[in-house]
C-alpha cells in the first residue's frame, strides 16, 4: 500500500476553513514544521527499519566458487505517536458581546494556542527526551545516543562571533566543518538540496555575515516559494524560541562536545536529510480543529479543540542526521 504524505501547505489548502486557518498559522510560526512531510499511517506506532552493515565479500580464484556472506540484520526501531493540542474555552458572555472591541476572544485564544503548538513541536523535535513519554524524542538525544560517533562533527570551539580572534582563520575552519557535515549525510560535496541545517537565529546571522565576506552568500527559493539562506543547496532553518518567547530552542550555551545543552558558550547545527527514507514526520490522524460549541454540562463556556496525533521517524543511520557542534557564534 502506498503511503501518502501531507505538509502544512496541503493543510493550508484544506476545504475545512478552521483546519486551513490553523495550518496557515503553524506555517507562519514554525519554519521547521513547514518543511516537514507527515506520512499518513493511521496507527499508534510505526516500525522503522534502519540499514545494517554490508556483507564482507571475498574475491574468488578461477575455478573456485564464491563464498557466501550476509548483510547484518537491519535494526528495527519502533517510533510512537504523540498528541499535541489544546482545549480552548471562552465564556459565552464574551462570545455574545456585540460591543466594539479590539479582538475576538476565541480568535485570540486560538491564535495564541497555535503559536504555542508550533513552539512546543519544534522544541520537542530538538530537545525531547525518552524520559518524557508525552513528546517525541528529539534530534539532540538521537545523535548523541542512538547513532554512531561519526554523525557528530566537533567544531572544538571555533569562534566565528563578530569579535572572535583570528576571524578569517575561524571562518575557513567553519566552512571546512560545514563541508564535512554535509558530506556525512550525503556522501557528496556537490549538492545537498534535500538537507536542512537546523540552528538558531544567532548562527544564521553570523552565517550571513561570513558568507557575504567570503563571497558564498546564497539564497534558495523552493518549489512553493519559501526562501532560505543556503550553502551548496542545504537550507538554513531557524528553529526559533520556546513558548516563553525568550529561550532559544537551540541555545548558545552548549558545551563544545555538544553532549550538554548548558554550561558552555557554543551552539550546534543539525543537518537533517528530509524524506521518507531519512527523516520525516508522520501522523496517526490528521490535524483536527472543532468549531466552538457550548458545553452541555455547564452551559456557560464555549469550547474549541485543536488536536493532532503526530510523531517523528529517523530511518537511515548515516544519511538522516549529523550534528556540527562546538561552534561559538555569540
Amino acid at each position: 500500500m502506498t503511503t501518502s504524505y501531507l505538509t502544512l501547505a496541503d493543510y493550508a489548502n484544506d476545504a475545512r476553513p478552521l483546519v486551513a486557518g490553523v495550518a496557515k498559522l503553524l506555517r507562519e510560526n514554525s519554519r521547521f514544521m513547514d518543511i516537514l512531510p507527515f506520512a499518513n499511517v493511521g496507527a499508534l506506532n510505526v516500525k522503522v527499519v534502519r540499514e545494517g552493515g554490508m556483507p564482507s565479500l571475498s574475491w574468488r580464484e578461477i575455478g573456485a566458487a564464491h563464498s557466501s556472506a550476509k548483510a547484518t540484520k537491519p535494526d528495527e526501531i519502533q517510533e510512537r505517536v504523540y498528541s499535541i493540542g489544546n482545549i480552548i474555552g471562552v465564556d459565552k458572555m464574551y462570545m455574545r458581546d456585540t460591543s466594539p472591541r479590539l479582538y475576538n476572544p476565541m480568535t485570540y485564544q486560538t491564535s495564541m494556542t497555535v503559536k504555542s503548538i508550533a513552539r512546543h513541536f519544534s522544541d520537542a523535535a530538538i530537545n525531547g527526551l525518552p524520559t518524557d513519554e508525552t513528546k517525541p524524542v528529539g534530534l539532540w538525544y538521537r545523535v548523541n545516543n542512538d547513532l554512531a560517533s561519526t554523525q557528530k562533527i566537533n567544531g572544538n570551539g571555533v569562534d566565528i562571533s563578530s569579535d572572535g580572534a583570528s576571524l578569517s582563520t575561524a571562518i575557513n575552519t567553519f566552512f571546512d566543518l560545514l563541508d564535512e557535515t554535509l558530506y556525512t549525510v550525503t556522501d557528496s560535496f556537490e549538492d545537498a538540496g534535500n538537507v536542512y541545517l537546523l540552528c538558531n537565529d544567532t548562527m544564521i546571522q553570523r552565517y550571513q555575515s561570513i558568507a557575504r565576506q567570503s563571497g558564498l552568500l546564497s539564497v534558495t527559493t523552493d518549489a512553493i516559494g519559501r526562501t532560505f539562506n543556503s550553502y551548496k543547496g542545504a537550507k538554513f532553518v531557524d528553529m526559533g524560541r520556546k513558548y516563553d518567547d525568550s529561550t532559544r530552542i537551540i541555545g548558545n550555551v552548549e558545551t563544545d562536545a555538544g553532549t550538554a545543552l548548558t554550561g558552555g558558550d557554543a551552539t550546534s547545527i543539525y543537518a537533517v536529510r528530509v524524506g521518507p527514507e531519512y527523516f520525516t514526520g508522520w501522523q496517526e490522524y490528521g490535524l483536527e480543529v472543532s468549531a466552538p460549541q457550548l458545553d452541555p454540562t455547564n452551559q456557560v463556556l464555549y469550547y474549541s479543540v485543536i488536536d493532532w496525533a503526530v510523531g517523528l521517524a529517523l530511518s537511515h543511520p548515516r544519511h538522516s542526521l549529523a550534528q556540527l557542534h562546538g561552534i561559538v557564534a555569540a
Side-chain angles (χ1 to χ4, degrees):
M1 183 177 67
T2 302
T3 302
S4 61
Y5 288 81
L6 291 171
T7 65
L8 286 182
D10 295 319
Y11 276 119
N13 291 313
D14 195 285
R16 296 165 294 177
L18 291 175
V19 171
V22 166
K24 289 173 183 176
L25 277 174
L26 288 173
R27 296 190 71 192
E28 292 172 6
N29 286 277
S30 175
R31 177 59 66 95
F32 172 71
M33 292 186 77
D34 197 22
I35 65 174
L36 205 61
F38 293 91
N40 280 311
V41 174
L44 290 170
N45 301 279
V46 294
K47 186 174 291 186
V48 175
V49 178
R50 291 185 185 168
E51 182 181 279
M54 299 179 192
S56 177
L57 306 181
S58 60
W59 297 82
R60 73 177 183 89
E61 295 182 1
I62 295 175
H66 279 296
S67 60
S68 176
K70 294 182 179 180
T72 58
K73 185 180 179 181
D75 290 329
E76 293 184 352
I77 309 297
Q78 187 159 278
E79 305 271 17
R80 55 159 292 195
V81 74
Y82 303 85
S83 177
I84 189 168
N86 191 38
I87 298 174
I88 305 165
V90 175
D91 195 291
K92 69 179 181 182
M93 294 176 67
Y94 291 116
M95 295 290 288
R96 298 177 182 180
D97 180 18
T98 59
S99 64
R101 52 189 172 180
L102 296 176
Y103 65 90
N104 178 291
M106 181 60 78
T107 301
Y108 171 75
Q109 291 294 337
T110 301
S111 174
M112 295 302 286
T113 289
V114 175
K115 290 181 180 179
S116 186
I117 288 173
R119 304 290 181 90
H120 277 85
F121 185 93
S122 298
D123 185 17
I126 296 295
N127 300 312
L129 299 174
T131 51
D132 184 351
E133 297 184 357
T134 66
K135 65 184 67 168
V137 176
L139 298 179
W140 175 80
Y141 182 89
R142 291 172 186 256
V143 76
N144 281 283
N145 295 274
D146 295 342
L147 303 182
S149 60
T150 53
Q151 305 309 111
K152 288 174 60 66
I153 293 83
N154 193 347
N156 286 305
V158 61
D159 188 351
I160 61 169
S161 62
S162 58
D163 57 354
S166 304
L167 188 54
S168 60
T169 300
I171 290 173
N172 288 330
T173 300
F174 171 77
F175 280 112
D176 287 343
L177 292 165
L178 196 54
D179 282 335
E180 182 182 352
T181 303
L182 292 180
Y183 192 86
T184 298
V185 293
T186 64
D187 286 343
S188 170
F189 285 122
E190 301 303 320
D191 181 67
N194 63 341
V195 176
Y196 291 88
L197 300 170
L198 312 182
C199 56
N200 65 24
D201 58 335
T202 307
M203 184 70 252
I204 289 180
Q205 290 168 23
R206 288 306 301 147
Y207 173 76
Q208 285 182 315
S209 175
I210 65 177
R212 185 170 57 248
Q213 295 173 49
S214 305
L216 296 172
L217 186 60
S218 176
V219 176
T220 298
T221 302
D222 68 7
I224 60 174
R226 298 173 301 199
T227 58
F228 302 82
N229 288 300
S230 65
Y231 178 72
K232 294 186 175 179
K235 306 170 188 67
F236 283 85
V237 174
D238 177 13
M239 291 301 290
R241 298 175 187 258
K242 301 186 180 186
Y243 81 99
D244 62 9
D245 207 26
S246 175
T247 309
R248 289 180 174 87
I249 289 172
I250 300 176
N252 292 316
V253 291
E254 299 175 0
T255 57
D256 285 352
T259 53
L261 300 176
T262 59
D265 61 355
T267 191
S268 290
I269 298 174
Y270 296 87
V272 294
R273 198 171 181 183
V274 173
E277 66 273 46
Y278 303 116
F279 176 72
T280 188
W282 61 281
Q283 60 185 29
E284 181 193 4
Y285 53 80
L287 174 63
E288 296 182 354
V289 186
S290 68
Q293 295 183 6
L294 186 64
D295 188 310
T297 303
N298 60 44
Q299 292 290 314
V300 295
L301 293 177
Y302 276 86
Y303 287 108
S304 177
V305 179
I306 300 176
D307 181 41
W308 198 4
V310 291
L312 299 172
L314 190 151
S315 298
H316 201 285
R318 287 199 306 114
H319 292 159
S320 297
L321 170 65
Q323 179 193 17
L324 170 54
H325 54 87
I327 306 297
V328 178

